[in-house]
Amino acid sequence: MADANTELKQLAIRVANAIQGRQLAAKKELQEIEAKAFEIKAMLESGNFARERSCNFVPSVSGEYQCPVCWVEREQKSNLRSVSNPDSQDDNFTCPECGIDFAFTP
């Protein structure tokens, strides 16, 4: 049987190890929270410019329809592609960037 000093010292080491284990978990959790906060801040900042981008949106450039979603969300010009749809009387288009489909009455 170990003496009191040895047992107490070992217990102190075990307590320190447990605290360090919790500290590592807390650091990981904090990093995840900070990453989420960064993502939320970026979304809020993007929202501040969405209205302005929507006002500046040009639906057609050089005869090509533009995707309003790509422009407002990312300020990215993306030409819509014509899609044939024999079952529809509308003109059908899709955006190759975001994948959204559009239908317009001719």
Side-chain angles (χ1 to χ4, degrees), residues 1-97:
M1 180 166 180
D3 67 1
N5 289 331
T6 302
E7 284 194 34
L8 293 173
K9 184 68 171 174
Q10 288 176 348
L11 179 57
I13 291 170
R14 285 195 300 271
V15 169
N17 288 341
I19 290 171
Q20 285 181 329
R22 290 192 305 265
Q23 182 185 26
L24 291 174
K27 280 184 180 180
K28 181 180 179 192
E29 184 179 357
L30 180 59
Q31 288 172 339
E32 291 170 358
I33 291 169
E34 288 172 340
K36 184 66 176 174
F38 179 80
E39 181 182 317
I40 291 170
K41 287 177 184 178
M43 181 182 61
L44 291 172
E45 188 173 317
S46 175
N48 291 336
F49 298 108
R51 176 70 53 204
E52 183 180 331
R53 285 193 297 268
S54 71
C55 292
N56 294 331
F57 176 67
V58 179
S60 179
V61 175
S62 300
E64 297 284 335
Y65 291 122
Q66 300 295 306
C67 178
V69 176
C70 289
W71 177 257
V72 173
E73 286 186 353
R74 297 180 303 279
E75 200 170 5
Q76 175 183 352
K77 289 184 181 179
S78 179
N79 293 343
L80 298 179
R81 287 190 203 154
S82 179
V83 178
S84 67
N85 184 351
D87 298 331
S88 174
Q89 294 181 358
D90 292 334
D91 293 335
N92 296 280
F93 296 87
T94 190
C95 176
E97 297 297 321

